[in-house]
């Protein structure tokens, strides 16, 4: 597949790396010579220095033969115009645009992005996507990440092990024997700065971030196994009233009306503006690093604190201060993900990466055939792929144990007819099974062969 990526920032760079590693022909456009040089130095892609909204630049990038254009520059206007030109002059079949400004995303202007007005197939808003991801995880107390699959029937849940976790110092294979009524699959572990796909003999340790797959109806039992009482958060404190903080409060008001929300925003003008935009949220004007303002927001009785300011250092310190003052868990937005292992080792329960959320969201639209969805768990970790076993696939008739012979693939769950199956090693894949697989980055080519056709991500 031929893909043009407009924008060589963090999102554009990671998309280019991801797609080029999967044998796609990728061209990156950016007006910054510095970013283009970085692309040339590190990636095996074509890189062009120029304005992505200029027809001659798109032409030199091969727009006439491109299958997809992904516009993720820092300018919403450039992104939208690039999509329009790609459609009008070069008939590019699929156009994806990142749009960040709330001036465009206000629901009353939603018709702007209808097909009869703008030729954009998918609009991605990082702020809204991050807010949705946080909101989803808040539906389960103790979880710092939650991915819903198979129309909500299977969930990938992420929790962190503590001294009080019942299953620490326990081999993964023994978890279900301790809880005979529980069926789950542990698909990933983050231990200090090391991410890996676990094997049955691996032992869960204090500090591990554990990702597991479980059927929706068994979430309560699964959370109990990891020492958490399954209940939705009742109190939420948001530190920072920027676009993400405002989007999160609006999302929580809409989807979790029983949650008490408070926001601490330092800028008085911004605080007043977001207060007028929210119906049931208390907005306090103050510094998130001020313990007195945190106590005024009743941080000691708050289940979840989410630090969403524009400064990674403020988010880290404010999260640690909130936990010291009694908050049950704290999540911090971190743009520089290389600092993530350090931040979590200090005591922050989880980091929120806008880059990871945005890339993962775009990948869900960059697929074809029997691939229903692709979710990234982060750089150098792996992807969760939801797909169907078709007639020609070598998957059909294979056992789960045979698929994982190289320890690079974990079959997390199988949906067969109306039943969710957490598979055993002896479980056999059948025709038309919907399979949820955790796959290491290095094993993508193997997955392509298993599904009998390349995953072209289109």
């Amino acid at each position: 597949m031929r893909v043009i990526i407009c924008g060589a920032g963090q999102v554009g760079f990671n998309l280019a790396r991801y797609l080029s590693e999967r044998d796609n022909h990728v061209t990156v456009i950016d007006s910054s010579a510095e970013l283009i040089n970085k692309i040339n130095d590190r990636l095996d892609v074509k890189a062009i220095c120029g304005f992505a909204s200029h027809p001659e630049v798109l032409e030199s990038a091969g727009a006439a033969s491109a299958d997809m254009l992904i516009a993720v520059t820092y300018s919403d206007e450039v992104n939208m115009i690039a999509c329009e030109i790609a459609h009008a002059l070069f008939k590019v079949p699929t156009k994806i645009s990142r749009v960040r400004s709330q001036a465009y995303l206000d629901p009353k202007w939603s018709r702007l992005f209808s097909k009869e007005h703008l030729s954009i197939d998918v609009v991605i808003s990082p702020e809204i996507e991050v807010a949705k991801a946080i909101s989803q995880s808040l539906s389960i107390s103790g979880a710092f990440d939650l991915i819903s699959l198979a129309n909500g029937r299977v969930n990938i849940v992420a929790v962190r092990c503590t001294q009080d976790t019942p299953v620490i110092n326990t081999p993964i294979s023994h978890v279900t024997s301790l809880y005979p009524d529980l069926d789950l699959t542990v698909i990933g572990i983050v231990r200090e700065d090391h991410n890996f796909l676990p094997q049955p003999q691996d032992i869960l340790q204090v500090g591990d971030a554990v990702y597991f797959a479980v059927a929706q109806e068994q979430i309560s039992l699964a959370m109990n196994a990891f020492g958490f009482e399954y209940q939705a958060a009742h109190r939420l404190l948001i530190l920072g009233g920027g676009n993400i903080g405002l989007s999160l409060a609006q999302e929580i008001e809409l989807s979790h009306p029983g949650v008490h929300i408070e926001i601490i925003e330092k800028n008085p003008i911004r605080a007043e503006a977001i207060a007028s935009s929210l119906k049931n949220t208390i907005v306090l004007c103050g510094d998130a690093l001020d313990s007195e303002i945190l106590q005024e927001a009743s941080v000691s009785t708050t289940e979840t604190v989410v630090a969403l300011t524009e400064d990674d250092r403020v988010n880290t310190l404010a999260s640690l201060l909130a936990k010291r003052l009694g908050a049950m868990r704290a999540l911090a937005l971190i743009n520089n993900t290389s600092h993530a292992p350090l931040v979590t080792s200090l005591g922050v329960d989880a980091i929120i990466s806008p880059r990871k959320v945005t890339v993962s969201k775009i990948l869900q639209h960059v697929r074809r055939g029997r691939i229903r969805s692709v979710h990234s768990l982060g750089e150098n970790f792996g992807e969760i792929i939801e797909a169907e076993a078709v007639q020609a696939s070598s998957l059909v008739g294979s056992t789960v144990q045979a698929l994982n012979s190289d320890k690079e693939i974990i079959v997390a769950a199988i949906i067969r007819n109306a039943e969710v199956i957490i598979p055993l090693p002896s479980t056999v894949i059948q025709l038309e099974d919907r399979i949820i697989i955790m796959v290491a980055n290095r094993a993508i080519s193997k997955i392509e062969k298993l599904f009998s056709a390349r995953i072209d991500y289109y």
Side-chain angles (χ1 to χ4, degrees), residues 76 79-80 84 97-107 109-125:
D76 292 347
N79 294 339
M80 291 188 285
E84 281 295 296
S97 175
R98 179 172 66 178
V99 178
R100 305 182 69 174
S101 174
Q102 296 301 305
Y104 294 119
L105 298 171
D106 190 311
W109 310 125
S110 59
R111 66 184 184 277
L112 173 66
F113 297 106
S114 60
K115 288 193 178 294
E116 60 266 26
H117 292 120
L118 287 179
S119 302
I120 302 174
D121 299 288
V122 180
V123 174
I124 303 290
S125 166

Side-chain angles (χ1 to χ4, degrees), residues 3 55 61 69 71 81 100 129 158 161 165 191 247 306 318 336 418 442:
V3 184
L69 181 138
I81 292 172
R100 305 182 69 174
E129 297 305 330
C161 293
T165 300
R191 182 172 294 160
S247 294
V306 186
N336 189 343
R442 60 186 178 275

Side-chain angles (χ1 to χ4, degrees), residues 131-183:
K132 287 181 179 178
I134 299 170
S135 174
Q136 193 171 33
S137 70
L138 292 177
S139 64
I140 302 177
S141 180
F144 65 81
D145 200 359
L146 179 69
I147 299 171
S148 182
L149 299 165
N151 300 320
R153 306 201 42 214
V154 176
N155 291 286
I156 306 297
V157 183
V159 297
R160 190 170 298 280
C161 293
T162 69
Q163 291 284 1
D164 299 323
T165 300
V167 293
I168 61 166
N169 303 321
T170 301
I172 289 171
S173 59
H174 292 182
V175 171
T176 52
S177 62
L178 294 174
Y179 295 84
D181 296 329
L182 174 61
D183 290 319

Side-chain angles (χ1 to χ4, degrees), residues 224-337:
N224 287 338
F226 284 90
F228 299 98
E229 183 180 352
Y230 175 50
Q231 60 178 12
H234 298 294
R235 293 184 62 89
L236 171 67
L237 176 57
I238 300 170
L239 308 179
N243 287 338
I244 296 179
L246 175 59
S247 294
L248 176 58
Q250 291 172 330
E251 176 71 20
I252 297 297
E253 284 190 346
L254 181 65
S255 58
H256 304 285
V259 176
H260 175 84
I261 313 167
E262 295 191 38
I263 297 178
I264 296 176
E265 167 54 41
K266 190 173 184 178
N267 185 302
I269 298 175
R270 178 63 180 176
E272 185 176 349
I274 62 176
S276 63
S277 301
L278 297 166
K279 298 178 181 178
N280 303 311
T281 298
I282 297 173
V283 180
L284 302 176
C285 186
D287 190 339
L289 293 175
D290 185 340
S291 58
E292 291 187 5
I293 196 74
L294 288 172
Q295 289 169 340
E296 184 180 343
S298 303
V299 68
S300 62
T301 58
T302 297
E303 286 100 344
T304 304
V305 173
V306 186
L308 301 173
T309 76
E310 296 179 351
D311 190 318
D312 288 0
R313 291 169 294 182
V314 170
N315 292 337
T316 301
L317 292 173
S319 297
L320 295 173
L321 179 58
K323 290 206 69 175
R324 184 172 183 176
L325 293 174
M328 289 178 59
R329 62 172 173 168
L331 285 64
L333 185 145
I334 303 294
N335 287 291
N336 189 343
T337 51

